[in-house]
Amino acid sequence: MHPQPLTEDLANHFKKVNDFRTHIYQLQHAWDSLALMAQLSGTGSEMEETRSAFNSISNDVLRHLSQETLHKTAAQLSSKAFEIINLLVRNLFERTADIGFFATDDDVREYLEMQAADSLDAGDQHRIEFRFQEYQKKYTVYENIVLFDAQGHLLHQLDDTQTTLFHYHPIVELAQQSTEPYVERFYETEINGRMRKSLVYAHEVRSKDDSRSLGVLCLCFKFVNELDTIFRNLISPNDWTIGVLLDEERNVIASSDPYQIPPGINLCVDTDTDWFITRFSGREYLCVTKQSEGYQGYLGPGWLGQAMIPLEHAFNQSIHDTVNNIDADTLRKVMRSPLIFSESLLNIPKQAANIQSKLNQSVWNGNIWQSNYVNTQQKNFSKSLLSEISHTGHKTQKIIENMVSELYQTVVSVMLENSSFYAQLAVEIMDRNLYERANDVRWWALTHVFREMLAQSHLADEDKSKMTAVLRYINSLYTVYDNLIIFDRKGEVMAVSNMQYAHLVGQPLADEWVGRTRSCSSTQDYVVSQFEPTPLYSDKPTYIYAAPIRHLDGNSIVGGIAIVFDSTPQFQAMLRDVIPRDKTDTPVKGSFTLFVNEQLSVIASTHPDFNTSDTFELMPGITKLKEGDQLFDIAVYQNTYYAVGARAAYGYREFKSEQDSYRNKVVALIFTPLGKVDEINQRIHAEAQVIHNKFNPSLFSQSGQESQEYATFYVGDSWLGIEARFVREAIDEEQLRTLPESAPFIAGMHTYRDGVIPVIDLARMLGHPHYFTDYRQIVVIEDKDHSLKFGVFVSALGEIPYLTTQQIQPMNTFFRGASNNPGVAIANLAQHSMLTLITASSLWEKVLTGRTQPEERVYA
């Protein structure tokens, strides 16, 4: 598969992305206006770098969000196209086995022998009619069964309303000349004057000694009905997706919506790309086409599955239906996972915060400049303008954060939906497979030789050998069984197909399902054992299907047949086929799948920790799922977050449906890794230590009588302030140079204008043991007599409020153990926590004296 470039025309359909883009454009216009006003008013705030940085990061996020929006829809289409063709091919694989076995049926051979000898009577016609009817009752996937003689003349068909297969048909010659195990052809069959498509499987019927051709048997598959079933389970009524099946010439042979995409038309397809756009009847569609992967060497008729959706509806699906029920804290953690997000994507919120910090610095410096050098009237206007600039930055940052959150959730929702899709595929594969097992056991129970032999009062060894030979022949064709067993009316084993279990012959079967078999009232009834260990399967757990064998007169039960499903390799194969795959169609590393029954007992698993028959305790809530229900969740197992999709089996056709007394709820679970718990927690903890964007200039912006402006900043969790008239500006730490020997709290020297200034590590002075920041700034402070100038490391800039003398309370115990500290005061502000006010001289005195020990802290 080759990725397609994202075109502008396609991106125009991304409603959510375009909504974000509109907000960004609106803010860009606001930036333009603010930049002009700032330039005219001389606020001292430079915004061009900030605007450019925000614009760059916004475009980057929009590009990623567009790509993931497209990938989400393409992944959904890919899953559906995959299921259309692969479910069909798996079904058809079973049909290839059916026709080969039915063509060797003794009743069919006998009927053709008698026809060739011209000795058929009404009773013979009745018997073949009954035989065909019984077959169709079990294998309900067939709409007709047709039998031709060796010359190609129609002898009998189950549905005589179909007239196309009348007298000679070319498939007869094909079957007689073919060296393949079967002939598979797609035809249009006329039914009651209307043409209907049918997939026909044909096989030559030969004499027992293989010396001559007796005729040709055809099984007509319910093609339309089967595709309707696939489409109905795959596409919900409110889904705009259209499912399509294409033949080798790319002609539509089945459509879930024939009004939009009618059968018979030819569509352009592309199987080499992840997706493509096609146009039909004036409408554009986003499409994904899939070839069959084949099943056990059978590739099917060469058809393609395609899923397509009108472009105007392709990207309107909300992700919130998928993630809304996920625990918010768990979802938040998973969205910081380096396993599913690149480092560049994970760093976008931090980059946006750093840009806002730079803008805060510019606005903060503008406020300081206004406070110190501008008259009051102009100052009030300029401060309002600076406040609006900061607000616009916050709005831009918030939109970027919202876009990133949407991006993260889109990626996670794709993984959840993929897990759910594979869970649905798993239960479909399982139920379709087990449907065939229920059919097989009932059909083989009607085998003439079994009914005839078991009706005898005593079975000779020769009779048992005949039944054994038939069982071995059947088992050689149907390899999904470990063993086939014939038992008499008392439950004693008469024959087995697997010689590993030859010791069972002559032994009674005491299992409870044997008794239930004797209670079956019709040829449609069957029983299934519990999934449990059994000596009939080397003491491993499996399902055993059984049906009664009736006397040839149909009035009494003379025994039964049990088929032992080879559950270990068969369930493993099913689960391996539904392991989630990435964009390159490679199985996702670390994924695993399970089948779990209603009692939370593991039926099969691809994870070594979950063994068959173990109790599955990880997600007990799955027992509440009703048939067909699905579940999205994020689970934690072995220090790993997993996207979990669960689906409760809902049967296939009449199997496990209202028409069937058998019930066995199985849930398929698909686990896709999302990231390591400890790695994510470490990342979140480190990010939590970084302080960003506590600056909100709109607070305390009004001056009053006897008030003074204070420049505030944060050091760790401490909120500190100093009179604005003693603050020069906030600068970056780029030019800091450490000193080999200096006072305990001197971090180094920094160039400032035409000289150098010392920089105080105030965090260390305040005793903050863990002080992290991505964007450390230095606030430059100058004493009132200009005799002292130094810098202070800060983690974030705060507001520049006006404070009255009534709001300020001096405090003589700023440092623990200090008896007198007139340079420290407390301002109790309702909007914030308590603000500690300091003076430049008192702060510098502490640096020089170095009396404060590392464990001592400032009261703040």
Side-chain angles (χ1 to χ4, degrees):
M1 288 288 182
H2 304 295
Q4 289 276 80
L6 177 58
T7 64
E8 184 176 346
D9 288 343
L10 184 59
N12 288 335
H13 293 279
F14 301 162
K15 184 180 183 303
K16 190 72 175 181
V17 177
N18 292 330
D19 287 344
F20 281 126
R21 184 176 282 113
T22 298
H23 291 311
I24 293 294
Y25 286 162
Q26 290 171 346
L27 286 171
Q28 286 176 349
H29 291 311
W31 281 115
D32 292 339
S33 299
L34 290 171
L36 178 60
M37 294 174 69
Q39 187 177 5
L40 293 175
S41 64
T43 59
S45 176
E46 176 56 52
M47 293 181 295
E48 189 57 39
E49 182 180 347
T50 301
R51 293 173 60 202
S52 176
F54 270 143
N55 186 55
S56 175
I57 199 171
S58 297
N59 289 336
D60 190 35
V61 179
L62 286 170
R63 177 174 56 83
H64 280 293
L65 186 54
S66 295
Q67 290 172 340
E68 291 303 330
T69 299
L70 173 59
H71 170 61
K72 175 179 169 60
T73 300
Q76 292 171 336
L77 294 175
S78 178
S79 297
K80 291 170 182 175
F82 176 89
E83 185 166 344
I84 290 169
I85 188 61
N86 279 314
L87 281 181
L88 178 64
V89 166
R90 280 176 173 269
N91 195 322
L92 300 186
F93 169 77
E94 297 283 353
R95 312 292 64 91
T96 63
D98 288 348
I99 187 62
F101 179 70
F102 202 9
T104 62
D105 186 82
D106 285 342
D107 288 349
V108 173
R109 279 175 169 161
E110 183 179 345
Y111 178 84
L112 289 173
E113 293 271 15
M114 296 178 69
Q115 185 273 336
D118 197 23
S119 58
L120 287 175
D121 57 24
D124 298 321
Q125 293 288 355
H126 175 75
R127 280 190 294 273
I128 199 66
E129 175 77 13
F130 173 80
R131 191 72 172 156
F132 283 5
Q133 287 176 347
E134 285 293 322
Y135 192 87
Q136 190 191 42
K137 285 179 182 179
K138 278 70 176 172
Y139 299 91
T140 56
V141 295
Y142 297 113
E143 61 187 4
N144 199 9
I145 304 172
V146 185
L147 186 62
F148 297 92
D149 67 13
Q151 289 71 45
H153 299 114
L154 177 67
L155 296 181
H156 187 82
Q157 64 172 334
L158 193 61
D159 183 0
D160 56 15
T161 64
Q162 299 191 22
T163 57
T164 298
L165 295 176
F166 188 75
H167 296 304
Y168 181 80
H169 193 278
I171 201 169
V172 175
E173 186 175 352
L174 288 172
Q176 290 174 328
Q177 295 176 352
S178 176
T179 58
E180 300 298 321
Y182 58 89
V183 171
E184 180 183 53
R185 288 295 184 273
F186 188 61
Y187 292 111
E188 280 195 328
T189 303
E190 186 178 343
I191 303 176
N192 292 329
R194 298 179 59 185
M195 300 306 293
R196 184 168 180 174
K197 294 174 180 176
S198 181
L199 188 59
V200 180
Y201 289 84
H203 197 290
E204 183 182 29
V205 181
R206 299 188 64 82
S207 59
K208 277 193 174 183
D209 61 6
D210 200 33
S211 62
R212 65 190 188 282
S213 174
L214 300 177
V216 172
L217 179 70
C218 296
L219 295 176
C220 302
F221 178 65
K222 287 182 178 177
F223 170 80
V224 174
N225 175 267
E226 174 63 13
L227 266 296
D228 285 346
T229 301
I230 292 175
F231 292 147
R232 184 172 58 254
N233 291 338
L234 192 63
I235 302 170
S236 63
N238 59 349
D239 189 347
W240 280 90
T241 303
I242 304 167
V244 174
L245 186 69
L246 305 167
D247 66 14
E248 305 96 314
E249 285 76 37
R250 309 312 187 240
N251 297 313
V252 176
I253 53 178
S255 171
S256 66
D257 189 344
Y259 296 102
Q260 287 196 70
I261 306 296
I265 67 167
N266 186 270
L267 287 179
C268 295
V269 301
D270 189 344
T271 58
D272 296 325
T273 57
D274 294 331
W275 55 268
F276 63 96
I277 294 175
T278 192
R279 180 181 296 176
F280 177 74
S281 192
R283 199 174 203 178
E284 287 185 309
Y285 295 87
L286 184 72
C287 307
V288 174
T289 306
K290 288 288 186 180
Q291 296 173 317
S292 169
E293 292 184 330
Y295 182 62
Q296 296 192 13
Y298 171 72
L299 296 176
W303 296 342
L304 302 173
Q306 180 163 300
M308 50 202 301
I309 189 169
L311 274 185
E312 66 267 30
H313 297 289
F315 309 103
N316 295 340
Q317 300 146 310
S318 172
I319 62 174
H320 302 294
D321 292 340
T322 306
V323 301
N324 269 355
N325 293 326
I326 304 299
D327 177 73
D329 185 58
T330 301
L331 183 61
R332 177 182 63 85
K333 290 180 178 180
V334 165
M335 291 195 301
R336 305 305 299 154
S337 170
L339 179 65
I340 55 178
F341 300 107
S342 66
E343 196 64 26
S344 62
L345 282 181
L346 290 172
N347 284 333
I348 286 176
K350 183 171 67 175
Q351 292 173 349
N354 284 339
I355 294 169
Q356 182 62 26
S357 293
K358 288 284 288 183
L359 178 63
N360 286 347
Q361 179 181 310
S362 178
V363 172
W364 198 83
N365 286 337
N367 273 281
I368 294 295
W369 187 79
Q370 297 292 327
S371 299
N372 293 332
Y373 302 109
V374 180
N375 62 60
T376 302
Q377 183 176 1
Q378 183 181 351
K379 181 189 300 185
N380 289 339
F381 169 77
S382 297
K383 283 178 141 328
S384 297
L385 177 58
L386 288 168
S387 175
E388 188 59 34
I389 290 172
S390 183
H391 273 309
T392 304
H394 279 292
K395 289 178 184 177
T396 306
Q397 181 190 359
K398 187 64 177 176
I399 288 177
I400 291 173
E401 289 175 347
N402 289 342
M403 289 193 298
V404 171
S405 177
E406 185 80 12
L407 171 61
Y408 291 165
Q409 291 186 59
T410 299
V411 174
V412 173
S413 72
V414 168
M415 301 190 75
L416 286 167
E417 289 176 355
N418 277 348
S419 293
S420 180
F421 159 73
Y422 283 109
Q424 176 178 344
L425 185 59
V427 295
E428 288 240 16
I429 290 173
M430 178 193 66
D431 276 346
R432 286 164 174 265
N433 189 301
L434 299 184
Y435 157 85
E436 302 290 346
R437 312 298 62 95
N439 297 342
D440 290 346
V441 72
R442 290 179 295 174
W443 176 246
W444 296 334
L446 295 176
T447 303
H448 188 97
V449 66
F450 299 157
R451 301 172 71 184
E452 183 180 42
M453 296 290 183
L454 290 177
Q456 301 175 27
S457 58
H458 174 73
L459 279 178
D461 290 342
E462 183 182 357
D463 297 329
K464 293 179 181 179
S465 296
K466 287 181 180 179
M467 289 195 294
T468 298
V470 175
L471 289 181
R472 297 190 69 176
Y473 171 68
I474 295 174
N475 208 165
S476 68
L477 294 176
Y478 293 81
T479 56
V480 297
Y481 301 111
D482 181 62
N483 193 18
L484 309 181
I485 302 170
I486 297 294
F487 54 92
D488 65 13
R489 58 172 61 88
K490 295 181 294 184
E492 184 178 320
V493 176
M494 296 290 104
V496 297
S497 64
N498 187 344
M499 292 301 101
Q500 178 183 341
Y501 299 95
H503 63 279
L504 294 176
V505 176
Q507 299 297 317
L509 297 174
D511 304 84
E512 58 83 25
W513 52 263
V514 178
R516 285 192 286 128
T517 304
R518 300 191 189 100
S519 302
C520 293
S521 59
S522 76
T523 57
Q524 287 298 99
D525 293 338
Y526 66 100
V527 301
V528 187
S529 72
Q530 296 295 317
F531 187 80
E532 58 190 7
T534 171
L536 303 182
Y537 189 52
S538 301
D539 294 320
K540 296 179 295 183
T542 190
Y543 291 116
I544 297 176
Y545 289 73
I549 296 175
R550 297 179 178 277
H551 194 283
L552 287 173
D553 62 15
N555 294 326
S556 61
I557 293 176
V558 294
I561 180 172
I563 56 180
V564 182
F565 185 55
D566 198 3
S567 62
T568 300
Q570 294 302 319
F571 282 138
Q572 281 294 316
M574 295 179 204
L575 291 178
R576 284 195 300 270
D577 285 347
V578 296
I579 288 285
R581 297 175 178 269
D582 59 20
K583 295 179 182 178
T584 63
D585 209 29
T586 302
V588 175
K589 185 178 180 180
S591 295
F592 63 94
T593 61
L594 304 96
F595 286 131
V596 179
N597 68 16
E598 201 165 9
Q599 292 75 40
L600 291 179
S601 179
V602 175
I603 292 175
S605 165
T606 60
H607 195 292
D609 287 354
F610 299 103
N611 296 312
T612 302
S613 297
D614 284 354
T615 299
F616 182 72
E617 299 175 340
L618 185 58
M619 297 178 66
I622 62 174
T623 58
K624 298 179 182 179
L625 293 176
K626 297 179 181 178
E627 291 180 351
D629 283 356
Q630 63 179 344
L631 175 148
F632 302 103
D633 205 354
I634 294 176
V636 178
Y637 182 68
Q638 288 189 338
N639 190 45
T640 302
Y641 287 108
Y642 287 93
V644 183
R647 188 81 175 217
Y650 44 87
Y652 173 64
R653 294 187 177 273
E654 70 281 354
F655 179 65
K656 295 200 297 189
S657 67
E658 293 180 359
Q659 301 100 311
D660 190 4
S661 60
Y662 176 56
R663 283 292 184 277
N664 180 39
K665 189 177 77 176
V666 175
V667 176
L669 298 108
I670 312 295
F671 285 73
T672 308
L674 297 175
K676 295 293 184 182
V677 173
D678 53 2
E679 291 179 4
I680 294 173
N681 287 341
Q682 289 170 10
R683 185 182 194 97
I684 291 175
H685 178 73
E687 291 172 346
Q689 307 305 309
V690 178
I691 300 173
H692 279 299
N693 303 332
K694 290 198 173 187
F695 178 46
N696 187 348
S698 65
L699 296 176
F700 326 114
S701 61
Q702 298 300 316
S703 62
Q705 293 183 347
E706 299 181 1
S707 64
Q708 181 65 48
E709 284 183 285
Y710 281 81
T712 71
F713 46 83
Y714 291 83
V715 178
D717 296 329
S718 299
W719 188 28
L720 307 175
I722 193 169
E723 285 188 52
R725 59 196 175 106
F726 300 129
V727 176
R728 293 296 159 256
E729 62 180 316
I731 61 175
D732 298 336
E733 63 164 325
E734 299 169 353
Q735 302 300 321
L736 182 70
R737 296 293 182 269
T738 58
L739 296 176
E741 293 184 11
S742 60
F745 306 125
I746 295 296
M749 304 298 289
H750 196 285
T751 57
Y752 183 67
R753 297 184 180 176
D754 295 331
V756 293
I757 58 173
V759 178
I760 298 174
D761 189 345
L762 195 53
R764 184 178 177 188
M765 180 181 290
L766 297 178
H768 287 282
H770 300 290
Y771 169 52
F772 302 93
T773 180
D774 284 351
Y775 184 65
R776 274 205 307 189
Q777 301 168 84
I778 299 173
V779 172
V780 180
I781 299 172
E782 188 171 12
D783 202 1
K784 57 185 176 182
D785 59 2
H786 307 292
S787 60
L788 179 63
K789 187 183 293 182
F790 60 91
V792 175
F793 269 140
V794 302
S795 52
L797 298 171
E799 296 77 14
I800 303 180
Y802 286 93
L803 300 178
T804 65
T805 55
Q806 289 79 14
Q807 292 176 281
I808 301 173
Q809 180 181 349
M811 180 179 174
N812 295 330
T813 55
F814 187 63
F815 293 99
R816 180 176 297 174
S819 59
N820 183 36
N821 198 340
V824 178
I826 295 296
N828 190 10
L829 304 177
Q831 294 92 334
H832 279 62
S833 60
M834 196 158 46
L835 170 63
T836 301
L837 304 178
I838 57 177
T839 65
S841 56
S842 65
L843 186 58
W844 188 251
E845 180 185 350
K846 295 305 164 190
V847 174
L848 296 178
T849 59
R851 290 186 307 181
T852 304
Q853 298 303 313
E855 67 272 11
E856 295 180 319
R857 293 183 59 87
V858 175
Y859 291 108

